[in-house]
Amino acid sequence: MAREIAMLKIVLALLLGALTAIPTSVESMGVCYGMLGDNLPEPSEVISLYKSNGIDAMRLYNPNNDTLNALKGTNISLMVGVPNEELATFSSNSSAAANWVQNNILAYEGVSFKYIAVGNELMGENASNILPAMHNIHNAIASAGLQDQIKVSTSVRFDVLSETSPPSNAVFSSSHMGPVVQFLANTNGPLLVNIYPYFSYAYSNGEVPLDFALFTAPDTVVYDNEYQYKNLFDAMVDSVYYAMEKVGYSNVNIVVSESGWPSYGGVGTTMENAQIYNQNLINHSAYGTPKRPGNLETYIFAMFMENMKTGDEVERHFGLFYPDQSPVYTVNFNYT
């Protein structure tokens, strides 16, 4: 999860420039299964942990053979990633992309593949590889007749946007995004977006209210024409919807491919805050956003504490569970 100070500018603009029907169940609430730890349980045990906690969707960053075999017949829907380092090859070599699909998707009958995330948070000059790689992966999926079952997309960070004050002003700051959104509109796929109110709060030097980030603000914080925002998560998601409209596409949905709150290692990182954020995220996902009400498919980051993640200390403390499978704090995925 690359994090840039640019996010601070985006969120401060959102806040400082704009401050002035009940669902019966939560659908498609998933958890990201990261594997950057040297003490994590076996994949078969992890799958059992998902099932015992009522978690019906998983994000997997790489097509891990043991995990894919353990997922067979479970009906846990899967978002699987194409690693960033593969995109340069797949963007120019359709045969290599087809071989990847054959070896990592088609070879695993009984796995409920739902999305293929072609790259994660890829920015800069390498972002030019995203769209051609998506095309080649999609063509391989379509050749197998699975284009309606398995959607090909890419996972982006929030700072592909600029001018998010208020959300309706949002535009894409990265030139590759317009063609990516056009591809998704043509293939009826969602844009996968990693949304982290935590980092916006942590980098804001107190400008972002904690309750606005935790879904606990008692009153509206951001006003934007007909829409009012009591939490930062909604404002961030709707900013992406507005940016997609600006490039001509209002028919592309969003899937929140990562969101979470660390329990240790930085500003506001307590177990209480992490529990509040993630439980509220679960509860809120059935409502959607002011601009797009209804179920918003969301993946919590992450299943486990991962002691081999690089970066700041907080990066190793997003887990819902310790490696021994005991909960860091309690969240209920069966909210109704």
Side-chain angles (χ1 to χ4, degrees):
M1 293 183 297
R3 306 290 169 230
E4 302 292 337
I5 296 300
M7 182 173 288
L8 170 59
K9 297 178 181 178
I10 292 170
V11 175
L12 287 179
L14 170 67
L15 276 169
L16 299 179
L19 282 175
T20 56
I22 301 177
T24 58
S25 65
V26 173
E27 301 176 8
S28 299
M29 191 74 205
V31 178
C32 302
Y33 175 18
M35 297 183 177
L36 295 178
D38 60 9
N39 54 358
L40 299 180
E42 292 298 316
S44 59
E45 298 177 68
V46 175
I47 303 307
S48 295
L49 192 61
Y50 270 71
K51 293 169 67 176
S52 66
N53 283 275
I55 305 169
D56 64 4
M58 172 187 291
R59 181 179 181 184
L60 192 63
Y61 291 89
N62 297 282
N64 176 272
N65 176 70
D66 290 341
T67 304
L68 293 175
N69 280 324
L71 282 167
K72 290 179 179 178
T74 64
N75 293 319
I76 294 173
S77 67
L78 181 65
M79 177 192 304
V80 65
V82 177
N84 289 348
E85 58 268 23
E86 303 278 10
L87 266 62
T89 298
F90 293 167
S91 68
S92 60
N93 189 329
S94 59
S95 295
N99 287 339
W100 187 92
V101 169
Q102 177 61 50
N103 294 334
N104 297 293
I105 306 296
L106 304 182
Y108 292 93
E109 185 176 354
V111 176
S112 299
F113 292 102
K114 189 173 185 181
Y115 305 117
I116 299 175
V118 180
N120 181 53
E121 297 189 335
L122 195 62
M123 298 283 283
E125 62 182 30
N126 292 326
S128 63
N129 293 322
I130 295 173
L131 184 59
M134 288 171 65
H135 273 291
N136 286 334
I137 295 289
H138 172 78
N139 289 341
I141 291 293
S143 294
L146 297 174
Q147 68 274 13
D148 294 328
Q149 176 182 331
I150 304 173
K151 295 301 179 180
V152 175
S153 186
T154 188
S155 184
V156 301
R157 8 192 269 213
F158 184 65
D159 60 356
V160 296
L161 303 181
S162 62
E163 305 300 329
T164 57
S165 173
S168 60
N169 282 353
V171 295
F172 286 119
S173 58
S174 300
S175 61
H176 71 282
M177 287 303 302
V180 165
V181 174
Q182 181 182 33
F183 170 88
L184 296 173
N186 292 339
T187 59
N188 197 30
L191 180 62
L192 311 176
V193 188
N194 297 342
I195 299 287
Y196 281 96
Y198 169 73
F199 287 104
S200 303
Y201 161 75
Y203 294 155
S204 74
N205 293 319
E207 297 290 348
V208 176
L210 179 61
D211 58 2
F212 187 50
L214 289 176
F215 297 94
T216 58
D219 301 305
T220 297
V221 178
V222 171
Y223 294 85
D224 188 4
N225 298 318
E226 70 269 39
Y227 300 126
Q228 301 178 10
Y229 295 92
K230 293 175 64 175
N231 67 80
L232 181 54
F233 178 87
D234 281 352
M236 294 172 78
V237 172
D238 278 355
S239 293
V240 184
Y241 278 123
Y242 277 114
M244 290 196 290
E245 290 180 358
K246 301 274 179 58
V247 295
Y249 300 98
S250 60
N251 62 330
V252 176
N253 289 324
I254 288 172
V255 169
V256 177
S257 44
E258 289 181 13
S259 192
W261 195 285
S263 56
Y264 178 80
V267 177
T269 57
T270 66
M271 287 189 186
E272 180 182 15
N273 285 347
Q275 191 277 335
I276 289 170
Y277 179 83
N278 282 321
Q279 188 63 65
N280 284 338
L281 180 65
I282 293 168
N283 300 352
H284 186 75
S285 66
Y287 291 84
T289 69
K291 185 171 174 59
R292 291 286 184 93
N295 182 64
L296 176 59
E297 187 173 352
T298 301
Y299 292 75
I300 292 178
F301 187 88
M303 194 66 172
F304 295 106
M305 300 292 197
E306 297 174 72
N307 66 356
M308 296 177 66
K309 283 186 67 66
T310 59
D312 294 338
E313 184 66 26
V314 293
E315 299 286 351
R316 292 177 282 282
H317 297 277
F318 276 86
L320 300 176
F321 294 89
Y322 294 108
D324 66 2
Q325 303 182 55
S326 63
V328 178
Y329 45 82
T330 301
V331 293
N332 178 15
F333 283 89
N334 298 310
Y335 171 83
T336 57

